[in-house]
Structures are given as C-alpha cells and as structure tokens.
Amino acid sequence: MNTVRQFLNFELIHLKAFTLTVADICSALLVVVLARLLLYLLKKYVLQLFFKRRNVAIGQQFAINQLIKYALYPIVIILVMQSLGIQPSVLLAGGAALLVGIGLGLQQTFKDLFSGIILLVEGTVRVDDMVVIGDTIVMVKEIGIRTSKVETRDETVKIVPNSKLVEDTVINWSHNNRPTRFHIDVGVAYGSDLGLVKSLLLEAADEHGQILKTPPAIVQFREFGSSSLDFKLFFYSYEFLRIEVVKSDLRFRVDELFRQHAITIPFPQQEVWFRNELSTSPSNKHQNA
C-alpha cells in the first residue's frame, strides 16, 4: 500500500509553485475516460430513446449529438487542467496578449467555428441534405465544428468551410421535402407535327422510372428559333444527386422516338456566297473583248 502511495505521489515535474505527480496524471486520465463513458451512455441509451419516441430526423439527431459533445468538451478541459494543478484563470490572464494575437491570426478559423455552431442550431443545412454550392450538387455527409464533409456526384468527398454554407447562397433541395422540377431542351425542324412532338416527349418522360407521375411532366413550346422550333420538357424527380443521368437517359429515349417517327432534330446551318470580283471588274471585261 505504501508502495502504491509512493508511486502516486512521485513528482514528475517540480517547479517553484507547480508540482505534477503521477496521481495528477491518473486523475486527468480518469476525467477523460469518465467523460467519454458518459457521452457514450448518453448517446446510446438516453438520446436514442428520445429520438425514437419523437421521430427525430437523422440530420437533427446528428446536430443534437454534436452540440452535446461540443458543450461537454470545455468542461472536460477545465476539469483536466484542475486535475493537473493548472488554474485556467491564471493561464488565461497570463496569456491574454498571446490569445489576442492568435485570435487576430485565426479570424477565418473562428468564423468557421461559429458558422458550425449556427448550422447545428438553426438546422438550415443538415446531414443527408442535397444542396447546391456554387455550381456543384453535393450531399452533406457530416457537419463538424469548423468544416463539413460533402460528397459530389462523382462520389468525391470534399471538405467545405462552414462559413461557406452560412454566408454564401446555398440551394437546399431537401429543405422542403418536395420533389424538384428539372427540364431538358429539345429543338425540332420547321414543318414537324407539333402535336406528335409533344406526345413523344411526354411518353419518354412517362417511361422513366426516376421521373414522378405526380406532378405530371409538361411540355412547353418556348420559341421560334433561327433553325428550330424550341421546346422544354419539364419533369419532377427526387433523384437530385444523379439527375444528370436521368436527363441523359431522357435525351437518348427522345432521340430514339423521334427517329422512329421521322421527326428531325436540326442543327444550325449557314449558306456562304463567294463573289468573284475578277469576273466583274472593267479590266477583266476589256481583256475579254
């Protein structure tokens, strides 16, 4: 017993007003282990039961878990410092000037940190949401305290600063839980049977499994173009991430149906006239005479 006491009281560091013993290290480790155990039990049993009873969405579950974790971290850090004999108030007071300098140099980092808290609290962007950042369609995979992980249609994971999701204009297709309308452009030759064109476009949309029957697809005659009659085929779908694949399938089917019914998809054509200046010049006429 005395041996254990002596081991725990063994001084690893001894300065003027600071002494670090093995017991202090063990106390700090015990605080970390207990905090992780508490967080695990809270997520595994208390929160899971709460989520099931309230039918909380996956994105909201992730946000609540992250907020609890981030609220627990500062408490654990303070307790660990006290276990090691370090007073947080003294440390903060002594390093005030240093903290100011660090704060000025890490303004963007602090902006991202606060943006992460805003995202988790407001829930404007959640995990599994389909959003458009700039011109890129991505699915949100994880919202961290400073950065978020998103997955593109190429299944590439990108790390995005949280401030970009808060300050920039972001289109959230999953926010209203409704299907989104998309369209493809189609041009046909002048003189085509427009009623047949409309029915074939609707037939192509109706055959595709990823295009919703309700709301129904619609066809609009948009313009008399320079070389074609221009149509837009509007359709609704929940297939946000792979929508370009749906559009490609639709174009293949439209081209096939048009070929079967002898409907031409024109391409721009220009006629170029060459004028022979030599044949009309006076000198040329005199030589011919």
Side-chain angles (χ1 to χ4, degrees), residues 179-183 218 220 222 234-237 240:
T180 301
R181 190 176 77 166
F182 303 94
H183 74 273
I218 60 172
Q220 291 184 0
R222 301 303 294 263
F234 293 93
F235 60 92
Y236 291 83
S237 177
F240 303 134

Side-chain angles (χ1 to χ4, degrees), residues 185-223:
D185 298 310
V186 180
V188 299
Y190 277 86
S192 301
D193 185 342
L194 301 189
L196 179 59
V197 170
K198 180 179 180 179
S199 64
L200 292 178
L201 291 175
L202 292 176
E203 179 183 342
D206 186 66
E207 292 176 354
H208 201 287
Q210 298 297 331
I211 295 178
L212 301 179
K213 304 299 186 291
T214 304
I218 60 172
V219 175
Q220 291 184 0
F221 184 4
R222 301 303 294 263
E223 192 174 356

Side-chain angles (χ1 to χ4, degrees), residues 100-119:
V100 170
I102 293 174
L104 292 175
L106 298 176
Q107 289 184 15
Q108 183 61 44
T109 300
F110 286 123
K111 184 190 295 185
D112 293 332
L113 291 173
F114 285 111
S115 297
I117 295 174
I118 291 172
L119 286 175

Side-chain angles (χ1 to χ4, degrees), residues 36-69:
R36 292 184 64 87
L37 180 61
L38 176 63
L39 187 62
Y40 172 79
L41 294 176
L42 188 62
K43 288 183 178 180
K44 187 70 174 178
Y45 298 102
V46 180
L47 291 178
Q48 285 295 332
L49 183 61
F50 172 78
F51 294 151
K52 288 181 179 179
R53 288 183 176 179
R54 296 298 182 91
N55 292 323
V56 181
I58 297 296
Q60 292 176 325
Q61 292 183 24
F62 181 85
I64 293 173
N65 288 334
Q66 292 292 91
L67 287 173
I68 291 175
K69 182 171 68 174

Side-chain angles (χ1 to χ4, degrees), residues 243-257:
I243 192 60
E244 294 302 325
V245 177
V246 176
K247 290 182 178 181
S248 177
D249 295 341
L250 205 51
R251 294 186 184 103
F252 274 117
R253 183 54 179 160
V254 167
D255 180 71
E256 182 181 0
L257 290 173

Side-chain angles (χ1 to χ4, degrees), residues 4-163:
V4 174
R5 186 179 295 109
Q6 290 177 358
F7 174 75
L8 293 176
N9 292 329
F10 180 76
E11 296 181 354
L12 299 174
I13 299 175
H14 180 72
L15 300 175
K16 290 183 179 180
F18 177 74
T19 302
L20 180 65
T21 64
V22 175
D24 296 333
I25 298 293
C26 293
S27 298
L29 292 176
L30 182 61
V31 170
V32 174
V33 171
L34 290 177
R36 292 184 64 87
L37 180 61
L38 176 63
L39 187 62
Y40 172 79
L41 294 176
L42 188 62
K43 288 183 178 180
K44 187 70 174 178
Y45 298 102
V46 180
L47 291 178
Q48 285 295 332
L49 183 61
F50 172 78
F51 294 151
K52 288 181 179 179
R53 288 183 176 179
R54 296 298 182 91
N55 292 323
V56 181
I58 297 296
Q60 292 176 325
Q61 292 183 24
F62 181 85
I64 293 173
N65 288 334
Q66 292 292 91
L67 287 173
I68 291 175
K69 182 171 68 174
Y70 296 146
L72 186 62
Y73 279 174
I75 299 174
V76 173
I77 292 173
I78 292 174
L79 291 176
V80 168
M81 292 176 67
Q82 289 180 345
S83 299
L84 296 175
I86 303 172
Q87 294 300 324
S89 58
V90 176
L91 184 63
L92 291 175
L98 179 62
L99 291 175
V100 170
I102 293 174
L104 292 175
L106 298 176
Q107 289 184 15
Q108 183 61 44
T109 300
F110 286 123
K111 184 190 295 185
D112 293 332
L113 291 173
F114 285 111
S115 297
I117 295 174
I118 291 172
L119 286 175
L120 293 172
V121 172
E122 289 188 346
T124 51
V125 177
R126 302 178 182 135
V127 174
D128 290 337
D129 278 2
M130 194 70 58
V131 300
V132 181
I133 304 175
D135 296 327
T136 307
I137 302 173
V138 297
M139 175 180 284
V140 180
K141 289 295 184 182
E142 180 180 331
I143 299 177
I145 190 63
R146 191 183 68 84
T147 60
S148 296
K149 293 181 181 179
V150 299
E151 183 178 292
T152 67
R153 288 180 290 190
D154 298 327
E155 297 184 354
T156 301
V157 176
K158 290 186 175 182
I159 309 299
V160 179
N162 287 332
S163 58

